Amino acid sequence: MQNYPKHYCGVFGVFGHPNAAELTYYGLYALQHRGQESAGIVACEGHQFREYKRMGLVSQIFTTDILHGLRGQSAVGHTRYSTTGASHLRNAQPLTGDSKRGQIAIAHNGNLTNAAQLREELEDRGAVFTTTVDSEIVLHLLCQPPKGSDENNLLQAVRRLEGAYSLAILTEQELIGVRDPFGFRPLCLGRLDDGWVLASETCALDLISAKLEREIEPGEIVIIDKNGPRFLQAFPAHNRRAFCVFEYVYFARPDSNIAGRNVYKVRVEMGRELAREHPLQADLVVPVPDSGNCAALGYSLESGIPYEMAFVRNHYVGRSFLQPSQLIRDFNVRVKLNLITELVKGKRVIVVDDSIVRGTTCKARVNNLKEAGAKEVHVLVSCPPHRNPCFYGIDFPDPSKLMAVTHTLEGIREYLDADSLGYLSEAGMVKATGLPADSFCMACYNGNYPVPYDEQVDKHIMERRRSRIEGLTEGLEKETMQIKLL
């Protein structure tokens, strides 16, 4: 069972470089943490699009020969975790289409809250969908006959979208980046020699030695062509921004910079805030690798309590492995992290992690420490309790599966068998970022959703579509039976 929230997706694009596909490969490699289910690259040479997509990790999918076959001076890539749509190859991105204006490839990070309504509308107008991902809706909107210039068509398409999205779009002449008006997802622009780069995070620019030019602003579109980048504001100026604060807490790589803040430094500061809010008497501060490393260091620096890497992470655990059902107790836990018993025996231990979602993994960590002879185990979390689902692209489960919904704080502590339990406050989390509270979406903590989402409308449309598909299936089965009888 997945006990941490899964990552969303990573997008990357290159324009005007002879090794566009190879650079995109390295960019996706740097963004692998954002999605491990599938990856793909589409390259453009003149009017010719070439694509390669597979299930699995970036390093497993692309070989030198495959990259050499993806010729062209522009490319777009995507590494995916499925937030909308099942984990199948047909849902892997980038998605491609052929329109009156030429070929288009799109890579999408985020979740559209009006996806069901838009898809229903497009299907009523004759659109045929080949995937179950909301990203294909964007592709259909972009391929609609233009009303005026291509630029106007792009603006009209983007303005139909609601929810969270950062897009990298490749056409035969351009690379386009789009960020939603609330700025839920990160997107930045870089420069490499005479070429230009779009990336979800700055760490991807660092790997290919590209220089960060600037972040794409919320509601902004950047269009990169042979004349360089130009910027459009697709929406009226928004006073309210809603960047996903969980990027700072967990998702983004610590070597990335977002909104001028280094993620590593923000996480260390979250640990310092934890120490101010929850001062404890203990012998060791121990992180849960790798997500708790920075916050645990911050707690240690602020409190003066020694920091020890008592849990050792196995970095070579694949996505699947032989699981002995009864042979090794807690195998799923122990195969990823092993405890150095000598460091914790007889000690009062503070264990720091970035979040508790379902609680089962954290419980196993506490058990490990107590079995190893830890005198006390105190659990601290570098964000507030998760009490609400996310509709914008994070795989937080429904509320009935969230530990902070089904249990009181004391109930969680008892379930974990911890000597004490403390969460960082919402104010402390925001303070650690150095940005105003209204810069963020914190709906998973406080239930304040920046973009409305009508779950009942979405459910109604999906059920109607399902009944239609089941009706078609039933009709085909009857026809097959009649053919067999004949």
Side-chain angles (χ1 to χ4, degrees), residues 202-390:
T202 61
C203 64
L205 302 182
D206 295 337
L207 183 59
I208 63 170
S209 300
K211 177 187 175 184
L212 174 66
E213 290 290 314
R214 70 177 182 86
E215 295 184 37
I216 307 304
E217 293 295 320
E220 191 173 47
I221 297 174
V222 57
I223 302 173
I224 306 165
D225 59 20
K226 62 183 180 181
N227 299 313
R230 54 195 172 91
F231 302 90
L232 304 172
Q233 187 56 241
F235 300 88
H238 243 295
N239 292 326
R240 174 73 164 94
R241 296 195 174 188
F243 180 71
C244 175
V245 74
F246 211 59
E247 290 275 1
Y248 281 121
V249 173
Y250 173 76
F251 277 125
R253 261 179 48 166
D255 50 336
S256 287
N257 295 313
I258 301 173
R261 271 71 175 172
N262 173 253
V263 174
Y264 173 89
K265 289 185 175 180
V266 169
R267 290 177 186 167
V268 170
E269 190 58 32
M270 287 176 179
R272 287 185 177 274
E273 288 295 328
L274 258 181
R276 295 169 191 138
E277 293 183 4
H278 300 281
L280 295 171
Q281 297 297 316
D283 303 304
L284 294 176
V285 178
V286 173
V288 174
D290 288 326
S291 57
N293 289 357
C294 301
L297 176 60
Y299 192 99
S300 173
L301 291 171
E302 185 68 22
S303 66
I305 300 171
Y307 174 94
E308 291 284 3
M309 294 289 293
F311 284 110
V312 177
R313 183 184 172 195
N314 182 348
H315 289 268
Y316 301 96
V317 176
R319 296 175 68 240
S320 61
F321 42 79
L322 181 64
Q323 296 189 30
S325 55
Q326 299 295 329
L327 184 62
I328 304 176
R329 194 160 68 89
D330 297 332
F331 181 79
N332 283 348
V333 173
R334 294 172 187 267
V335 74
K336 293 181 180 179
L337 293 181
N338 193 36
L339 183 63
I340 302 174
T341 303
E342 290 81 358
L343 289 177
V344 301
K345 189 174 182 179
K347 303 289 180 64
R348 299 168 298 173
V349 178
I350 298 171
V351 60
V352 179
D353 205 352
D354 69 283
S355 60
I356 298 175
V357 181
R358 295 181 178 91
T360 52
T361 298
C362 186
K363 180 180 177 67
R365 301 283 173 249
V366 174
N367 288 342
N368 289 166
L369 288 162
K370 292 202 168 183
E371 287 174 1
K375 188 188 298 183
E376 297 174 6
V377 179
H378 304 272
V379 175
L380 292 177
V381 185
S382 60
C383 71
H386 288 93
R387 293 194 170 96
N388 305 281
C390 176

Side-chain angles (χ1 to χ4, degrees), residues 417-469:
D417 194 26
D419 291 277
S420 71
L421 171 66
Y423 288 86
L424 183 61
S425 68
E426 190 175 309
M429 177 179 64
V430 171
K431 184 180 177 183
T433 69
L435 295 168
D438 61 3
S439 302
F440 298 109
C441 174
M442 297 184 284
C444 55
Y445 305 121
N446 58 27
N448 295 326
Y449 293 97
V451 178
Y453 178 74
D454 193 333
E455 200 169 6
Q456 293 307 312
V457 170
D458 194 57
K459 183 179 179 182
H460 172 70
I461 293 172
M462 295 302 290
E463 286 177 351
R464 189 167 60 192
R465 181 180 299 133
R466 192 178 298 115
S467 65
R468 185 173 69 239
I469 292 170

Side-chain angles (χ1 to χ4, degrees), residues 155-197:
L155 289 169
Q156 290 160 6
V158 168
R159 287 168 181 166
R160 297 295 314 280
L161 307 178
E162 296 175 7
Y165 54 91
S166 282
L167 307 171
I169 303 166
L170 183 67
T171 73
E172 295 174 10
Q173 296 87 26
E174 303 161 323
L175 176 65
I176 301 168
V178 184
R179 198 172 176 202
D180 72 72
F182 289 89
F184 282 97
R185 304 281 169 258
L187 189 65
C188 61
L189 175 68
R191 184 78 183 265
L192 179 62
D193 302 326
D194 294 327
W196 297 90
V197 183

